[in-house]
Amino acid sequence: MASPERKGQTFLQMSRKRLKRQCHSSYHHLDRVTTSFTQADRSADLPDEVLDMIFSFLPIRNAVQIGVLSTRFKNSWNFSRRLDFDDDFARGRSPEDFKSVVNKVFDRHEGSSILRFRLCFDPNREELLVEKWIRKSIEKGVEELDLEFYQNGNVFQGRWPFKLNSEVYEAESLKILKLNMCQLDLPPKLKGLRFLNTLVLRKIIITPTLINTLFQNCSFLETLDLAQCHRIFHLKIFAQKKFKVLRVGDCQEILRIYIDAPNLRSFHYSGHVCFIKFNVVPQLKDVMLNFRPSKGFTDTFRVRNLVYDLYPIQVLTTTSTFLEGLSPKFIGGKLREMQFYFGNLKEFHLIMEGAIYCNPYDIISFLKHCPGLEKIFIDLNDFCFVRGPYWELHNRQSFQKYSLSFDSLKFIKLPGFKFQKDELMLVKFLLERAISLEKLVLVTPKSRHGRVFTPDLQAYYQHLRSWKASPAAQIAVFEHLNDTSICPTHSKTWY
């Protein structure tokens, strides 16, 4: 069996590449430290402060793994600054063992600081212990605090299983705070959180007072991310100049959102169609409106009032519910289109989900107002266009006669493409009018029913090539699992 010294030398000779894999990818400076380390005299004892610096950049799980290489490094985890006790760390451990390990790490921690404390834990009957861990991380200047609590069933029962320590509200070092399933009671005047940059809340009770307190006291707040939160009826945002990102997802009780944030750059919303109003949006560039399918007809008033506020955006992800709200309507006995203009829009991602009557005409009717489009993604999923009276009586002829060109369009992608008649008709329309197109990508559906046989595919290729207005345009068809083409900026959900 090799001696401890021999094991230590083996560790020192590990390749830079292997050590980087064990480190968090974002800490590139560790690579430079390691280079100096491996070039040093291997027989010399390194000072404690050097070991502290090297091992403190490793997440706790990696630091523990390295500790088994030699008795010399068995206590290296005592210096870790990144205490990630998440699902990965808990895998293979019983709740009691998990609790014991976390407590041991905090009791024996010798590092000068803790940069991140991440905890995924059921705090039932362990509230005092969790408070102790949070308190110690704050004492050591924690910058990122990520607390994901859970309870049996994860069902909201009027209160959550943990009430956040008052010390958190007084922490001066915190820049990122992420909370899940805990009670948040902000005092009217915060003593800390002055440098808070990012706040992520999941399954939290939100009140107007809480939101007001945040923006009155956290002048450096740039990102607010709320998902599956409760008791939000009217969300009002009166933000400081630094505030740039707002995300609201699956907050089922929400009725109205009012945003006064002059430097807002990104807005993501997922849920039912609610009233959304911006005061001014000169900087808004990136928007997601993942409107859930309506049980009846889409609330046209809410959608149409919103669209006028979105004129500066460059990236838009939305659903067919949004397009149905903007589709031509009968006014005075005539079918009239809504007038709006997205002159800056470069990328459009449409998710076809739960549409009642949205058809190819509604899609091109929207695209008409986006003359600068460069990328189009139309996610068909399991959607099939419906040939109802609305299409047959009013839209079919208008679609075929539509005069439109896409001078800037370079890339088109349709995931879930089944080579159905209406889908091919839409692709033909786009190909014939995209004079600068570089690539068309069609991705077959996940389900077996939508797969295309090779002989049929060759025939389709011939049709697709004959429709091209851009001779240089490439056409690619991928099976769902083999798709290597570019993806849209936004995924369907972010939480």
Side-chain angles (χ1 to χ4, degrees):
M1 181 177 294
S3 65
E5 289 77 10
R6 178 61 179 167
K7 290 182 179 179
Q9 291 176 4
T10 301
F11 168 70
L12 290 170
Q13 293 168 351
M14 286 195 307
S15 68
R16 294 166 62 193
K17 185 175 181 181
R18 180 180 174 189
L19 187 54
K20 282 175 71 177
R21 284 200 304 268
Q22 294 173 329
C23 300
H24 193 282
S25 60
S26 62
Y27 305 108
H28 302 292
H29 53 280
L30 177 58
D31 186 38
R32 297 194 294 271
V33 174
T34 307
T35 303
S36 301
F37 189 18
T38 54
Q39 292 175 350
D41 183 0
R42 289 172 169 78
S43 63
D45 290 330
L46 292 173
D48 289 343
E49 58 268 20
V50 176
L51 288 174
D52 184 356
M53 178 179 63
I54 292 173
F55 293 115
S56 68
F57 293 115
L58 296 172
I60 184 65
R61 184 178 183 181
N62 301 107
V64 171
Q65 291 172 344
I66 287 178
V68 303
L69 290 173
S70 168
T71 54
R72 182 180 183 184
F73 305 112
K74 68 179 182 179
N75 295 321
S76 60
W77 52 269
N78 292 342
F79 300 95
S80 181
R81 303 184 189 192
R82 295 176 173 84
L83 306 184
D84 295 343
F85 302 108
D86 49 17
D87 287 333
D88 287 338
F89 190 90
R91 190 172 293 116
R93 289 184 169 91
S94 68
E96 283 299 317
D97 181 43
F98 178 84
K99 178 182 70 175
S100 175
V101 170
V102 176
N103 201 45
K104 182 178 179 181
V105 168
F106 274 100
D107 284 345
R108 297 183 57 179
H109 193 272
E110 299 177 28
S112 58
S113 66
I114 295 174
L115 296 181
R116 182 175 65 218
F117 174 35
R118 181 177 293 160
L119 179 67
C120 183
F121 187 62
D122 181 355
N124 185 36
R125 299 182 181 179
E126 303 293 350
E127 290 87 350
L128 293 179
L129 195 58
V130 174
E131 288 179 4
K132 167 192 161 184
W133 300 338
I134 295 173
R135 188 177 300 113
K136 186 157 187 178
S137 69
I138 290 174
E139 289 172 356
K140 295 208 172 189
V142 67
E143 295 182 5
E144 179 178 346
L145 187 60
D146 185 349
L147 304 174
E148 183 177 350
F149 298 119
Y150 58 87
Q151 62 184 6
N152 290 333
N154 277 352
V155 177
F156 181 60
Q157 300 172 352
R159 62 179 296 273
W160 287 126
F162 185 79
K163 183 175 181 179
L164 200 64
N165 312 33
S166 60
E167 288 92 343
V168 174
Y169 311 136
E170 300 174 2
E172 294 284 352
S173 58
L174 270 178
K175 296 180 180 178
I176 301 174
L177 180 58
K178 301 178 181 180
L179 303 173
N180 181 80
M181 271 195 183
C182 68
Q183 184 177 337
L184 186 61
D185 295 327
L186 292 179
K189 187 66 177 177
L190 295 178
K191 296 181 181 179
L193 301 182
R194 288 188 302 169
F195 300 104
L196 188 67
N197 175 275
T198 300
L199 179 62
V200 178
L201 302 179
R202 300 283 184 267
K203 300 178 181 179
I204 304 286
I205 295 176
I206 303 290
T207 64
T209 302
L210 186 149
I211 297 296
N212 289 338
T213 301
L214 278 173
F215 284 103
Q216 288 175 5
N217 292 272
C218 305
S219 56
F220 288 91
L221 188 65
E222 291 188 9
T223 300
L224 177 61
D225 187 338
L226 312 174
Q228 299 174 326
C229 291
H230 299 272
R231 299 182 187 172
I232 312 179
F233 302 102
H234 301 282
L235 178 62
K236 295 182 180 181
I237 303 294
F238 295 94
Q240 305 282 353
K241 291 182 179 180
K242 290 187 176 293
F243 187 66
K244 296 178 181 178
V245 180
L246 175 63
R247 300 189 183 105
V248 182
D250 217 8
C251 300
Q252 297 183 4
E253 297 154 309
I254 201 159
L255 300 173
R256 179 185 294 264
I257 300 175
Y258 178 81
I259 303 167
D260 187 351
N263 291 322
L264 189 71
R265 301 292 180 88
S266 177
F267 174 66
H268 291 194
Y269 175 81
S270 180
H272 62 271
V273 179
C274 71
F275 182 85
I276 302 173
K277 179 63 181 175
F278 297 88
N279 184 21
V280 287
V281 285
Q283 304 296 324
L284 194 60
K285 307 296 182 188
D286 164 26
V287 171
M288 169 187 275
L289 297 171
N290 186 1
F291 288 138
R292 303 290 165 77
S294 303
K295 294 182 180 179
F297 285 95
T298 302
D299 191 326
T300 302
F301 173 77
R302 291 180 176 180
V303 174
R304 294 195 167 207
N305 275 279
L306 172 61
V307 77
Y308 292 122
D309 290 337
L310 303 181
Y311 66 89
I313 63 175
Q314 297 180 3
V315 178
L316 174 63
T317 295
T318 191
T319 60
S320 49
T321 301
F322 179 76
L323 255 61
E324 288 182 346
L326 299 178
S327 63
K329 299 292 187 294
F330 279 99
I331 301 175
K334 293 184 178 181
L335 192 64
R336 300 183 185 275
E337 293 186 3
M338 182 179 176
Q339 299 303 312
F340 58 91
Y341 186 69
F342 286 150
N344 297 326
L345 193 64
K346 303 299 182 185
E347 178 182 321
F348 177 59
H349 178 196
L350 175 62
I351 302 169
M352 300 298 295
E353 184 178 77
I356 299 175
Y357 57 83
C358 187
N359 60 52
Y361 179 79
D362 295 318
I363 295 174
I364 64 163
S365 180
F366 176 84
L367 298 178
K368 169 188 175 182
H369 302 283
C370 314
L373 268 178
E374 297 177 0
K375 298 177 184 177
I376 295 176
F377 300 85
I378 302 177
D379 194 342
L380 296 167
N381 297 307
D382 296 323
F383 177 81
C384 295
F385 289 106
V386 177
R387 290 169 164 263
Y390 175 69
W391 164 257
E392 297 292 346
L393 295 176
H394 305 289
N395 292 157
R396 177 195 288 275
Q397 292 185 355
S398 299
F399 178 85
Q400 294 170 345
K401 297 177 180 178
Y402 219 110
S403 177
L404 180 63
S405 64
F406 300 101
D407 298 339
S408 303
L409 188 58
K410 294 180 173 59
F411 183 84
I412 305 171
K413 182 174 180 178
L414 287 86
F417 196 80
K418 299 173 286 297
F419 290 86
Q420 294 179 349
K421 185 174 181 179
D422 289 335
E423 295 174 347
L424 288 167
M425 182 168 50
L426 177 60
V427 168
K428 181 176 185 290
F429 184 94
L430 295 173
L431 281 175
E432 289 178 340
R433 292 160 176 80
I435 59 176
S436 302
L437 188 69
E438 296 175 359
K439 192 166 188 177
L440 166 71
V441 176
L442 306 177
V443 184
T444 60
K446 300 178 183 178
S447 62
R448 296 180 180 178
H449 303 291
R451 294 182 181 175
V452 182
F453 294 108
T454 303
D456 296 335
L457 190 57
Q458 294 303 319
Y460 286 130
Y461 263 123
Q462 292 181 6
H463 287 298
L464 292 168
R465 292 192 189 102
S466 69
W467 296 335
K468 295 191 307 180
S470 171
Q474 300 178 6
I475 298 175
V477 179
F478 291 102
E479 290 276 349
H480 169 72
L481 295 176
N482 300 324
D483 178 20
T484 58
S485 61
I486 65 173
C487 296
T489 300
H490 305 140
S491 58
K492 187 176 178 181
T493 58
W494 68 92
Y495 52 92

